[in-house]
Amino acid sequence: MMIAAVIAGCVVLAVLAFLVPRLSRHPERGTQRSLGVGARAGGKAPGPLGRLFGKPFRSGSRAVGRSGSVGRRARGRMPF
């Protein structure tokens, strides 16, 4: 379920970043902030379980950041 939510968020952010690059930063930061809360909560588990539970949130946050930057970069390369 979380994987589908991260994928949907990435697609929406990439399209938003392509259409309105400046306005896409706020939703991107909000999404990364919420994923960071999950990573911190998962990281409180003891020992290796903490790293295991926090990893999907950290990788999701990285994916959201990349999708936003890719959308803005694609917009910058357009000839118009």
Side-chain angles (χ1 to χ4, degrees):
M1 184 68 177
M2 186 185 146
I3 295 171
V6 170
I7 290 172
C10 288
V11 169
V12 168
L13 279 172
V15 170
L16 186 64
F18 182 77
L19 296 177
V20 281
R22 289 184 185 173
L23 296 178
S24 69
R25 296 212 184 253
H26 188 71
E28 179 184 342
R29 287 185 189 134
T31 307
Q32 285 180 334
R33 187 177 301 130
S34 65
L35 288 170
V37 169
R40 284 192 298 279
K44 290 185 188 233
L49 283 178
R51 288 188 297 276
L52 184 68
F53 290 158
K55 185 175 180 178
F57 294 100
R58 285 191 304 271
S59 61
S61 178
R62 269 198 321 263
V64 165
R66 280 191 199 134
S67 69
S69 69
V70 164
R72 284 187 290 275
R73 195 174 337 138
R75 172 65 181 252
R77 291 181 181 167
M78 294 300 288
F80 48 87

